[in-house]
Amino acid sequence: MPEMHPQRWGDPSRAADLPESALELVELAFGSRERPAVAGARPPAPDLADDLLPGLRTIVGAEHVLVDDATRTLRTRGKSTPDLLRARAGDLDDAPDAVVRPDGHGEVVAVLEWAAEHGVAVVPFGGGTCVTGGLAARRDGFAGLVSLDLVRMKRLLAVDEVSMTATLQPGLRGPEAEALLAERGLTLGHYPQSFEHASIGGFAATRSSGQSSAGYGRFDAMVVGLTVATPTGSLDLGSAPASAAGPDLRQLVLGSEGAFGVITSVTVRVRRAPAATAYDGWRWPSFAAGADAMRALAQGGLLPTVLRLSDESETALNLADPSSIGSTDDPGCLMITGYEGTAEQVAERRSAVGALLERLGGTALGEEPGQRWLHGRFDAPYLRDSLLDHGVLVETLETATFWSDRERLYDDVRAALQDTLGEGTLVLCHVSHVYETGCSLYFTVAVRQGDDPIAQWQRAKAAASDAIVAAGATITHHHAVGTDHRPWLAREIGDVGVRVLRAVKAELDPAGILNPGVLIP
Amino acid sequence: MPEMHPQRWGDPSRAADLPESALELVELAFGSRERPAVAGARPPAPDLADDLLPGLRTIVGAEHVLVDDATRTLRTRGKSTPDLLRARAGDLDDAPDAVVRPDGHGEVVAVLEWAAEHGVAVVPFGGGTCVTGGLAARRDGFAGLVSLDLVRMKRLLAVDEVSMTATLQPGLRGPEAEALLAERGLTLGHYPQSFEHASIGGFAATRSSGQSSAGYGRFDAMVVGLTVATPTGSLDLGSAPASAAGPDLRQLVLGSEGAFGVITSVTVRVRRAPAATAYDGWRWPSFAAGADAMRALAQGGLLPTVLRLSDESETALNLADPSSIGSTDDPGCLMITGYEGTAEQVAERRSAVGALLERLGGTALGEEPGQRWLHGRFDAPYLRDSLLDHGVLVETLETATFWSDRERLYDDVRAALQDTLGEGTLVLCHVSHVYETGCSLYFTVAVRQGDDPIAQWQRAKAAASDAIVAAGATITHHHAVGTDHRPWLAREIGDVGVRVLRAVKAELDPAGILNPGVLIP
């Protein structure tokens, strides 16, 4: 898989400037501005005593301990807009001192023991797609910081086609895992926007949720087993699909973001690769009407495989295809419904869902909007790069709440963003995931970049996060905590919850070497 | 609700001796034996310093601190067969010194603070239906032991009919919770065999699973929020249906069996009470054929609301109705399928499931077996009492595994039980719950009682538990750990898993007063 450019998202060969028509719209929306300068980026020199490296080389082999600038640059931070802005400004201060590439559980254990012995901080690295600062660990008080790169752990370890489970190594990227499963006619069905680059270990460590989660479930719901290397021993969890043998420790590892240990294998429930698929568009007169229809589907046990609903602004703008802006007078709110399975399953579910949506006031738009969504589903981060190139600050944030609080949460977060960023701010939103009891809200924000765009965004993000917690919602539905959400996590789970996380951390990682400063308030 | 007799299960008015025909069959199966003697049971005198009680009375009111023999007897242990045998032998050594009945979260917090200050062990008590020794805490090293009875906490605190959630106090018994929800046309749909007596707090603390869990989900899957009182502070968890805000701490409380804190409210997903129901019987030529059909339903996304399958022995014996034994020459294996929902949902699902089951080789038996199951579904523990009266040792145990290990697990557990208990042992089994990746196995064992029936059962239970762990299955799918499963839990989650549980316990309950000796190895 191609490495991502340190200052941009995704496959460098797919980067493209905005077409002229889109540029005109950008200037119309945000005013004109010269392209911000992009500095050449070079990380600081490694700050890890030379006499520590031979021990590491003994564990993984000399060729898998890398200290060159290019490799360290590629393992610096994740892909949030502030991450990209920092890299574009030439700031790579969070670069690791070395990148170490263990192969297998035993080598990971040995690296962690080495790190604990020498007081070296360790940042597990999978796909590098984190957007919440989860790859920017604190290094103060440590003898150095190494990136534990899982790039060599890309095997499909086991498949059980009777139980329909597969055991995967954590370094497999989304498409790599799907390709291995496809050889057996199987699929995970996990398609977050980061799918093309994110890793299996990352999906588990961050409780990822995909665009098909209505049908395939969140990643945490797919996991039936985990092995984890911690600095003080290994965990091997998952003896049954469900159990009453005490607290579910799998659910303590899921979402632990590398702070408790390194996930070295994940056993997931798999499904037969769908023989048939269909994706439709539906128009709703308002966001509220569309959301009520989603609720009816979820509570009626009639969910499609894919279900998302854009609000009026997102529908009108349609970020993934700027050339279509304004093409419809009153586009209302666009819903995408997708169906995957056997031909019979797809036909039945599509017909039942369609009947209910029509009864609730939806207008069928046919397959064209569904196909358009399908083909652009992983492209938004490329568009962000292009807009950043032209001085437009673009970022996303997301949350989830119970149905009865959806409208308040939507209003409060929009108001917080608009009030902080001021006139000319575009705030778009879609419902990305639904449950019987509630849904997520995914916001995209675009505004003309000011002189200090990082501070500009941080103010807006803080205001939105305050609004989220004040509304009783979760600070993150599928982007994880990282360093960015830490202060609000403390408000969400309270002092006692924080003490529980710290106690587990102290037990498993008493030297505190794993992802210091990430997750735990 | 009527209190249960200390030496028997359930409502004393429903206790009945076996009919003459059944007695003959019992003698035929197990040989004749005189009825074992039942001793009068009286607990030891309270062993809690008198000067400690006024503090407790100040918190909850004098009338809610009870030290009389009758009340303490009713809060002694749970309802496993060894529990009943001990009580029948006059042994009430595990009786608490006092029973305290707080009302509300604040009073529970105050009781725990009082207990921590004075070194008094606390056993939270809901329905008293535990069958794994979870109510028999260690008292050595403590100034006394009190039963924290949740009987006054029986309110429906909130209902949100948009989000379809309800917030319940922990002392509500199953029927009480359903009656309150039924006033709003709602249901939980949680029907474990203990339903008539078990409590909402107990369902959560033990990860209960019900007979309709194929349709309504396990209790742990219904929970969206929890409040918990610990000796060092309170937890208020659940800000969204799902979240990526770190590890899911709700899943650490679920299954914690009172060892981390006392659950003071539970917010659950509810559904509309079903307008229509239907329950059918199906015959399968073998247990394996029926299990394969269950797997096809689970993996095809076509589960009924109720799905259970008895093996050949259980089908032939049909414990709930001994008079029917031998009424059919080759009954094969009986499957029960139940459907609940709107009339349309029931009709559609029933037809789709029926078509698949016929295609897979099942024979439809019509509604009679379904209705018989429905009406006897909570009766097995009464039958156990009657058999114990006649010197037949009856007990159950359960586990779960992945589909590909089902047959081995079934064979190994049966062999362990037969080998340990010897000739004339009846071992019955049914699949009680199914998942896409696996299923549970629920065993019922009956054998002529020996001179020391508790030791007799403990040997069999240990052999079965060894077989379960050796097969890589879970030591309990829905009966929880208690004290009985503790040694095997350690093997299931490993040293590191045990250290995590201990670390959380030490953080939340540093004095170790909560259910000492329960759950944590």
Side-chain angles (χ1 to χ4, degrees):
Chain A
M1 305 217 32
E3 291 276 4
M4 287 199 269
H5 188 284
Q7 297 167 320
R8 310 182 74 85
W9 175 266
D11 180 352
S13 72
R14 278 168 63 189
D17 198 5
L18 293 176
E20 203 54 42
S21 59
L23 264 182
E24 281 168 26
L25 282 163
V26 166
E27 300 214 341
L28 198 67
F30 301 107
S32 84
R33 185 191 192 285
E34 60 188 275
R35 288 173 74 121
V38 175
R42 212 178 147 185
D47 187 21
L48 184 70
D50 280 344
D51 59 352
L52 292 180
L53 290 177
L56 209 45
R57 293 192 186 107
T58 307
I59 297 167
V60 296
E63 68 276 33
H64 297 300
V65 179
L66 303 163
V67 295
D68 62 284
D69 283 359
T71 304
R72 294 190 299 120
T73 294
L74 290 168
R75 295 295 170 263
T76 305
R77 305 192 191 106
K79 295 294 176 187
S80 70
T81 296
D83 287 343
L84 297 179
L85 290 170
R86 283 194 190 93
R88 284 163 178 248
D91 166 7
L92 292 175
D93 286 356
D94 291 316
D97 298 305
V99 176
V100 55
R101 306 193 302 209
D103 190 8
H105 183 86
E107 287 189 13
V108 173
V109 167
V111 170
L112 296 183
E113 286 171 353
W114 169 90
E117 184 185 343
H118 299 290
V120 176
V122 175
V123 180
F125 191 97
T129 59
C130 182
V131 291
T132 53
L135 297 168
R138 265 196 312 108
R139 53 184 305 148
D140 53 291
F142 293 95
L145 186 147
V146 302
S147 174
L148 191 156
D149 191 344
L150 295 158
V151 69
R152 292 171 66 208
M153 295 172 65
K154 287 183 185 266
R155 295 175 196 86
L156 172 59
L157 297 174
V159 174
D160 176 348
E161 294 194 43
V162 175
S163 307
M164 291 296 276
T165 63
T167 302
L168 302 160
Q169 282 192 319
L172 283 165
R173 308 296 176 96
E176 294 169 338
E178 286 292 348
L180 288 169
L181 292 171
E183 291 174 17
R184 318 284 284 258
L186 303 173
T187 184
L188 260 179
H190 186 66
Y191 297 104
Q193 193 172 69
S194 60
F195 167 75
E196 294 176 310
H197 298 275
S199 68
I200 294 293
F203 293 153
T206 63
R207 295 183 173 272
S208 172
S209 193
Q211 295 167 353
S212 311
S213 291
Y216 293 95
R218 294 167 58 86
F219 197 80
D220 51 21
M222 297 180 185
V223 173
V224 297
L226 290 159
T227 56
V228 187
T230 85
T232 58
S234 296
L235 277 164
D236 185 1
L237 299 170
S239 44
S243 167
D248 190 345
L249 297 179
R250 297 176 296 198
Q251 298 290 333
L252 200 61
V253 173
L254 294 164
S256 64
E257 301 184 32
F260 294 162
V262 178
I263 295 168
T264 55
S265 78
V266 184
T267 302
V268 285
R269 177 250 293 148
V270 292
R271 299 239 173 104
R272 291 276 150 222
T277 59
Y279 308 91
D280 296 323
W282 288 82
R283 183 192 178 281
W284 294 89
S286 69
F287 196 43
D292 283 347
M294 291 176 122
R295 182 164 71 84
L297 291 174
Q299 293 179 348
L302 202 59
L303 283 175
T305 311
V306 173
L307 185 61
R308 68 177 264 149
L309 173 73
S310 295
D311 71 353
E312 289 84 352
S313 312
E314 187 172 287
T315 302
L317 187 66
N318 196 347
L319 254 187
D321 182 11
S323 64
S324 73
I325 298 174
S327 63
T328 315
D329 276 351
D330 176 13
C333 287
L334 176 65
M335 175 187 280
I336 302 294
T337 55
Y339 310 87
E340 302 183 2
T342 64
E344 191 187 2
Q345 285 170 334
V346 167
E348 274 178 17
R349 186 54 60 104
R350 193 182 191 187
S351 144
V353 168
L356 180 56
L357 294 184
E358 283 200 345
R359 201 153 67 235
L360 295 172
T363 307
L365 301 176
E367 298 200 43
E368 192 276 332
Q371 288 299 324
R372 188 150 42 89
W373 166 81
L374 186 67
H375 293 114
R377 66 197 286 197
F378 305 128
D379 291 347
Y382 289 103
L383 179 62
R384 176 180 59 166
D385 283 332
S386 303
L387 289 166
L388 288 175
D389 290 343
H390 289 279
V392 180
L393 178 67
V394 183
E395 182 56 306
T396 65
L397 60 86
E398 40 77 60
T399 175
T401 192
F402 297 101
W403 286 114
S404 53
D405 295 324
R406 182 199 59 75
E407 193 162 349
R408 177 199 164 178
L409 180 64
Y410 175 73
D411 291 343
D412 289 359
V413 173
R414 274 172 58 89
L417 291 166
Q418 299 273 14
D419 291 352
T420 317
L421 292 169
E423 225 171 312
T425 305
L426 271 179
V427 180
L428 321 177
C429 184
H430 64 264
V431 175
S432 59
H433 303 84
V434 301
Y435 304 90
E436 284 183 67
T437 57
C439 67
S440 69
L441 293 178
Y442 189 99
F443 294 91
T444 302
V445 187
V447 66
R448 173 57 71 195
Q449 198 171 301
D451 291 336
D452 184 350
I454 295 176
Q456 185 185 8
W457 174 248
Q458 282 172 337
R459 278 192 303 274
K461 172 77 175 175
S465 299
D466 285 344
I468 286 168
V469 172
T474 182
I475 191 62
T476 172
H477 169 266
H478 59 271
H479 280 173
V481 175
T483 50
D484 297 354
H485 289 146
R486 240 178 7 147
W488 291 277
L489 176 65
R491 287 162 63 184
E492 184 169 335
I493 64 173
D495 291 345
V496 178
V498 171
R499 281 171 40 215
V500 168
L501 294 183
R502 287 189 186 143
V504 174
K505 168 85 171 171
E507 180 62 37
L508 297 178
D509 177 24
I513 55 158
L514 274 166
N515 248 355
V518 170
L519 175 64
I520 298 172
Chain B
M1 308 220 26
E3 292 275 5
M4 289 199 270
H5 188 285
Q7 296 167 321
R8 310 180 75 85
W9 174 266
D11 180 352
S13 72
R14 279 167 62 187
D17 200 4
L18 293 176
E20 202 54 41
S21 59
L23 265 181
E24 281 167 25
L25 282 162
V26 166
E27 300 212 340
L28 198 69
F30 301 107
S32 84
R33 185 191 192 285
E34 60 187 274
R35 288 172 74 120
V38 175
R42 213 178 146 184
D47 187 21
L48 184 70
D50 280 344
D51 59 351
L52 291 180
L53 290 178
L56 209 47
R57 292 193 186 107
T58 306
I59 297 168
V60 297
E63 68 275 32
H64 298 299
V65 179
L66 303 163
V67 294
D68 62 284
D69 282 0
T71 304
R72 293 190 300 119
T73 294
L74 290 168
R75 296 295 171 264
T76 305
R77 305 192 191 107
K79 295 294 176 186
S80 70
T81 296
D83 287 343
L84 297 179
L85 290 169
R86 283 194 190 94
R88 285 162 178 249
D91 165 7
L92 292 176
D93 285 356
D94 292 315
D97 298 305
V99 176
V100 55
R101 306 193 302 210
D103 189 8
H105 183 86
E107 287 190 14
V108 173
V109 168
V111 169
L112 296 183
E113 286 171 352
W114 169 89
E117 183 186 344
H118 299 291
V120 176
V122 175
V123 180
F125 191 97
T129 60
C130 182
V131 291
T132 53
L135 297 168
R138 265 195 314 107
R139 53 185 305 148
D140 53 291
F142 293 94
L145 186 149
V146 301
S147 173
L148 191 157
D149 191 345
L150 295 158
V151 68
R152 292 170 67 207
M153 294 172 66
K154 286 183 185 266
R155 295 176 195 86
L156 172 59
L157 297 174
V159 174
D160 176 349
E161 293 194 43
V162 174
S163 307
M164 291 297 275
T165 63
T167 302
L168 302 160
Q169 282 193 318
L172 283 164
R173 308 297 177 94
E176 294 168 338
E178 286 292 349
L180 288 170
L181 292 170
E183 291 174 16
R184 317 283 284 257
L186 303 173
T187 184
L188 258 178
H190 186 65
Y191 297 103
Q193 193 172 70
S194 60
F195 168 76
E196 294 176 310
H197 299 275
S199 68
I200 293 293
F203 293 153
T206 63
R207 294 183 172 272
S208 173
S209 194
Q211 295 167 352
S212 311
S213 291
Y216 293 96
R218 295 166 58 86
F219 197 79
D220 51 22
M222 297 180 187
V223 173
V224 296
L226 290 159
T227 56
V228 187
T230 86
T232 59
S234 296
L235 277 164
D236 185 1
L237 299 170
S239 45
S243 168
D248 190 346
L249 297 179
R250 297 176 296 198
Q251 297 289 333
L252 200 61
V253 173
L254 294 163
S256 64
E257 301 185 31
F260 293 163
V262 178
I263 295 168
T264 55
S265 78
V266 185
T267 302
V268 285
R269 177 252 292 148
V270 292
R271 299 236 174 106
R272 291 275 150 221
T277 60
Y279 308 91
D280 296 324
W282 288 83
R283 183 191 177 283
W284 295 89
S286 69
F287 195 43
D292 283 347
M294 290 176 122
R295 183 164 70 84
L297 292 174
Q299 294 178 349
L302 202 60
L303 283 174
T305 311
V306 174
L307 184 62
R308 68 177 266 151
L309 172 74
S310 295
D311 72 353
E312 289 84 352
S313 311
E314 187 172 287
T315 302
L317 186 64
N318 197 345
L319 254 188
D321 181 12
S323 63
S324 72
I325 299 174
S327 63
T328 315
D329 278 351
D330 176 13
C333 287
L334 176 65
M335 176 187 280
I336 300 294
T337 55
Y339 310 87
E340 302 184 1
T342 64
E344 191 186 2
Q345 285 170 334
V346 166
E348 275 179 16
R349 185 55 59 105
R350 193 183 191 186
S351 146
V353 168
L356 180 57
L357 294 184
E358 283 199 346
R359 200 154 69 235
L360 295 172
T363 307
L365 300 177
E367 298 201 42
E368 192 276 332
Q371 288 299 323
R372 188 151 41 90
W373 166 81
L374 186 67
H375 292 115
R377 66 197 286 196
F378 305 128
D379 291 347
Y382 289 102
L383 179 61
R384 175 179 60 166
D385 282 333
S386 303
L387 289 165
L388 288 174
D389 291 343
H390 289 278
V392 180
L393 179 66
V394 183
E395 183 55 306
T396 64
L397 59 86
E398 40 77 59
T399 175
T401 191
F402 297 102
W403 286 114
S404 54
D405 295 323
R406 182 199 60 76
E407 193 160 350
R408 176 197 165 181
L409 181 64
Y410 175 74
D411 290 344
D412 289 359
V413 173
R414 275 172 57 90
L417 291 166
Q418 299 273 14
D419 291 353
T420 317
L421 293 168
E423 224 172 312
T425 305
L426 271 179
V427 180
L428 320 177
C429 183
H430 64 263
V431 175
S432 59
H433 302 85
V434 301
Y435 305 90
E436 284 184 66
T437 58
C439 66
S440 69
L441 292 178
Y442 188 100
F443 295 90
T444 303
V445 187
V447 65
R448 175 54 73 195
Q449 197 172 301
D451 291 337
D452 184 349
I454 294 175
Q456 184 185 9
W457 174 248
Q458 281 172 338
R459 278 192 303 274
K461 171 78 175 175
S465 299
D466 285 344
I468 286 169
V469 173
T474 182
I475 191 62
T476 173
H477 170 266
H478 61 270
H479 280 173
V481 176
T483 49
D484 296 355
H485 290 146
R486 241 176 7 146
W488 291 277
L489 176 66
R491 287 163 63 184
E492 184 169 335
I493 64 173
D495 291 346
V496 178
V498 170
R499 281 171 39 216
V500 168
L501 295 183
R502 286 190 186 142
V504 174
K505 169 85 170 171
E507 179 63 37
L508 296 178
D509 177 24
I513 54 157
L514 274 166
N515 248 356
V518 170
L519 175 64
I520 299 171

